[in-house]
Amino acid sequence: MKFFISCADFSAELYITRVSPFLGGEIFSTSPKIKNSKCIIDLTKMSIIGIPSFKNLTKIFLYFINIVRFIIEQKIDLLILCDAPDFNIPLGSIIKAIAQNKIKIVYFIPPTVWAWRESRKTLVEGFSDKVLYIFPFEKSIWRKNGIFIGHPLCKIIRDEEKIFQRNKPEFITILPGSRISEIKRHQDIVIELSDIFYKEGEKVIIPTNFPELFSKKSNLILIPSEDSRWAMRNSKFIITSSGTASLESALLGKPAVVFYKIDSFSFEIAKRIVNIRFISLPNIILNNTIYPELIQNDATPERIYSEVKRIKDRKFDMIRQKLFSELEGLEFKEIAEIIRE
């Protein structure tokens, strides 16, 4: 059996690489990190760029054409789409039209239609044989061909806890974002915050793939993004701009503050099309303010620092347990079996 895995971002890559060893057969992919697969084109670097330039758009289009050609010419049996809806929805639609049901399509972690662009639901259900969703509240959305598999982070964190010893927290971890455009917007906030904590004698770690943006600050500890969960596990508290990292924080039982800034024009548009009250996943899942959220003009170093001081000594063990009970699902081997069926 031949599989093709289309993956274009870090979190989906992290999750599917835990599933791929159980698939068997011959696997091709768009990520060099997916185990047991041959990487045809590396799409994962594109996810950290932000808004692509015309040159990058041209490159993405050529990647798209080459991937479609490869899937058809190699007579792939099963296409696995992982998140990245802006790339994978067109890919799934094209393969469905060309292959005429000869290629099965599984969407592993579908788009967040519950947050915005609900019209994508019809498109995804139109070409997918199965939709493997990770949030329990999505049951009412993916009724046609959906299967709840649980959130992979639960299993990953449980497995890591068996390996890594819990140490006394030593750091403050600040996660400024994964895309370079996000990090540049948050750069000044992060630097000012680090100065505040440094004066208090605290060590600040920043996991990032763009260390050059912070290299002039000698008081910062810079580590690769892939080591972020190690830093978070050993942190007193966490300040993050990422929805996924906020969930990781909660599953690790850590206090956290969430912040985010975008340009004013995009923010005005987002206010009109986004259908959710919160931006952080623990708050969304439990429909409650678990972590403070500071957005746009509220996302200042002073406000973030104030919220940190307010919640830094709170215990989040009950929240952690509640999230695990909501989100824990199947083993990775079981997910692979569902994909293959």
Side-chain angles (χ1 to χ4, degrees):
M1 193 171 188
K2 288 185 176 182
F3 301 88
F4 190 95
I5 299 174
S6 177
C7 178
D9 60 68
F10 174 73
S11 58
E13 178 186 62
L14 172 67
Y15 306 151
I16 196 63
T17 197
R18 305 301 177 103
V19 175
S20 61
F22 301 107
L23 287 173
E26 192 173 9
I27 306 173
F28 303 94
S29 75
T30 60
S31 165
K33 292 183 181 178
I34 294 177
K35 296 173 184 176
N36 301 1
S37 79
K38 298 174 187 175
C39 180
I40 305 306
I41 291 169
D42 186 2
L43 287 183
T44 57
K45 292 178 181 177
M46 305 306 294
S47 70
I48 62 173
I49 291 171
I51 298 172
S53 63
F54 177 77
K55 181 180 178 181
N56 283 325
L57 279 173
T58 304
K59 186 184 291 186
I60 292 169
F61 178 73
L62 291 174
Y63 284 171
F64 185 89
I65 296 301
N66 288 330
I67 289 170
V68 169
R69 184 184 294 122
F70 182 89
I71 290 170
I72 300 301
E73 289 179 353
Q74 291 293 319
K75 297 180 180 178
I76 297 296
D77 299 297
L78 199 155
L79 171 62
I80 304 169
L81 306 173
C82 304
D83 204 354
D86 290 335
F87 188 90
N88 281 330
I89 288 178
L91 180 60
S93 301
I94 291 291
I95 295 300
K96 179 77 171 182
I98 295 174
Q100 296 294 310
N101 298 319
K102 291 179 182 176
I103 298 174
K104 287 187 177 180
I105 301 175
V106 174
Y107 212 123
F108 176 81
I109 309 179
T112 54
V113 297
W114 41 269
W116 69 310
R117 290 167 64 186
E118 191 176 345
S119 59
R120 295 176 296 175
K121 173 183 182 295
T122 304
L123 291 171
V124 170
E125 288 185 330
F127 62 71
S128 299
D129 295 283
K130 293 174 186 172
V131 177
L132 309 187
Y133 61 90
I134 60 177
F135 299 114
F137 57 77
E138 292 180 294
K139 183 178 180 179
S140 62
I141 297 170
W142 304 110
R143 291 178 177 176
K144 181 181 175 183
N145 46 14
I147 301 169
F148 176 62
I149 59 170
H151 203 296
L153 266 178
C154 294
K155 176 65 176 166
I156 290 169
I157 287 174
R158 292 280 199 208
D159 287 347
E160 287 175 347
E161 286 175 344
K162 297 173 187 176
I163 301 170
F164 300 113
Q165 183 179 352
R166 274 183 175 263
N167 300 318
K168 183 180 179 182
E170 296 182 14
F171 311 111
I172 297 165
T173 296
I174 304 179
L175 296 124
S178 57
R179 295 175 176 85
I180 192 165
S181 56
E182 289 177 319
I183 299 172
K184 284 181 176 178
R185 283 197 304 271
H186 299 145
Q187 185 180 23
D188 291 344
I189 295 172
V190 171
I191 288 172
E192 285 189 50
L193 274 170
S194 69
D195 287 341
I196 293 171
F197 291 124
Y198 182 70
K199 288 174 183 175
E200 295 184 351
E202 300 283 6
K203 298 176 184 176
V204 177
I205 282 188
I206 298 183
T208 180
N209 288 321
F210 302 96
E212 64 275 10
L213 296 178
F214 302 101
S215 57
K216 292 181 180 178
K217 297 298 293 182
S218 59
N219 59 324
L220 294 175
I221 304 169
L222 303 174
I223 62 172
S225 288
E226 52 263 36
D227 295 328
S228 62
R229 213 160 37 258
W230 169 84
M232 295 164 77
R233 185 177 288 106
N234 291 287
S235 289
K236 298 176 181 179
F237 55 85
I238 295 156
I239 300 167
T240 178
S241 67
S242 164
T244 300
S246 69
L247 181 57
E248 286 177 302
S249 303
L251 291 173
L252 290 167
K254 298 289 183 176
V257 174
V258 180
F259 74 99
Y260 204 79
K261 291 191 81 165
I262 57 176
D263 64 86
S264 301
F265 180 71
S266 298
F267 181 68
E268 289 303 317
I269 293 174
K271 284 197 301 186
R272 289 161 174 78
I273 63 175
V274 174
N275 304 319
I276 49 176
R277 292 171 55 201
F278 303 108
I279 64 168
S280 58
L281 284 172
N283 294 1
I284 292 169
I285 294 162
L286 299 179
N287 196 30
N288 199 358
T289 305
I290 308 304
Y291 288 147
E293 296 181 351
L294 298 171
I295 307 168
Q296 291 303 93
N297 294 335
D298 290 332
T300 64
E302 296 76 19
R303 287 290 306 276
I304 295 169
Y305 177 78
S306 176
E307 289 296 333
V308 166
K309 290 299 181 185
R310 187 172 66 84
I311 71 160
K312 70 182 181 70
D313 295 321
R314 281 192 195 169
K315 302 298 181 185
F316 285 86
D317 291 342
M318 292 296 292
I319 297 297
R320 166 186 155 93
Q321 291 171 21
K322 191 168 184 180
L323 283 168
F324 268 107
S325 67
E326 289 272 341
L327 296 176
E328 274 192 297
L330 303 177
E331 298 288 328
F332 293 124
K333 185 177 181 180
E334 293 175 302
I335 296 170
E337 289 169 356
I338 289 171
I339 290 172
R340 286 179 59 92
E341 287 173 355

